[in-house]
Amino acid sequence: MRPSQRMRDLGVVQQGAAILTEPARAFDLPTERDEAERVVDELFAAMDRIGQVHPFAKGMGLAAPQIGFACSAAVVQPQDDEPAIILLNPRITGHSDGTDEHYEGCLSFFDVRGLVPRPVKITVETTARTGETVTTVYERGLARLVHHEIDHLAGLLYTARMEAGVDPIPVELYRQTGQAWAYDQS
């Protein structure tokens, strides 16, 4: 079974669906707190299902549009059993000039991997369930994961960030490269 078919069977919306290319609706918090919490619970349940069939040693993320909700929520599970990150109405407010380029995959088209340049540090504003704005700085691999999910909420797939003339490669070829998108330690 192809990886993309496995993700489809687990409830992940696949490339070609309009919901993946449309900006997500922001929550009005705290007014829509119950709805936001329901969507976040659905995201965690989907991540649990996915994690049972595919291990993610470098962490994983999932955005609400990927499971059929057109609202601005995403969750990121970092590597090494760090606490999960909940992103409600996130927006990137700053980023480093420095970038790195590593392979990324996406649960919505899991048969390929693409080489994507991203800032090594980003500043993100989110809305807490109680309505307050929270600002957090993410670096390296975690910045890449968070940025990828925020892109989903803007209706962007990682292929939109790839350099012109560079195409995604089949997952089988990616596995043969021995490369991963874990951050460069230098």
Side-chain angles (χ1 to χ4, degrees), residues 47-183:
M47 285 179 68
D48 285 344
R49 288 191 307 272
I50 293 163
Q52 289 176 18
V53 299
H54 188 88
F56 291 90
K58 297 173 189 78
M60 76 174 283
L62 190 63
Q66 291 181 279
I67 59 169
F69 295 98
C71 52
S72 189
V75 293
V76 172
Q77 180 59 61
Q79 62 186 16
D80 301 329
D81 297 321
E82 294 175 37
I85 298 165
I86 297 171
L87 303 166
L88 297 173
N89 302 339
R91 65 185 191 96
I92 297 171
T93 58
H95 59 83
S96 63
D97 290 334
T99 62
D100 60 9
E101 188 172 58
H102 294 285
Y103 280 98
E104 292 184 21
C106 181
L107 299 173
S108 291
F109 52 108
F110 212 47
D111 296 335
V112 295
R113 301 295 183 268
L115 201 54
V116 182
R118 294 210 188 257
V120 294
K121 184 195 281 188
I122 60 174
T123 302
V124 176
E125 283 186 358
T126 59
T127 307
R129 293 173 181 133
T130 54
E132 292 87 19
T133 299
V134 178
T135 302
T136 308
V137 175
Y138 299 101
E139 296 186 47
R140 304 289 183 177
L142 193 51
R144 181 170 293 277
L145 279 167
V146 169
H147 198 282
H148 179 110
E149 298 312 320
I150 292 173
D151 276 354
H152 270 299
L153 300 175
L156 294 174
L157 300 176
Y158 74 73
T159 50
R161 299 265 183 210
M162 294 174 66
E163 298 289 338
V166 176
D167 295 317
I169 61 172
V171 68
E172 297 83 7
L173 183 59
Y174 163 76
R175 288 181 184 143
Q176 293 171 6
T177 68
Q179 295 184 15
W181 59 263
Y183 63 88

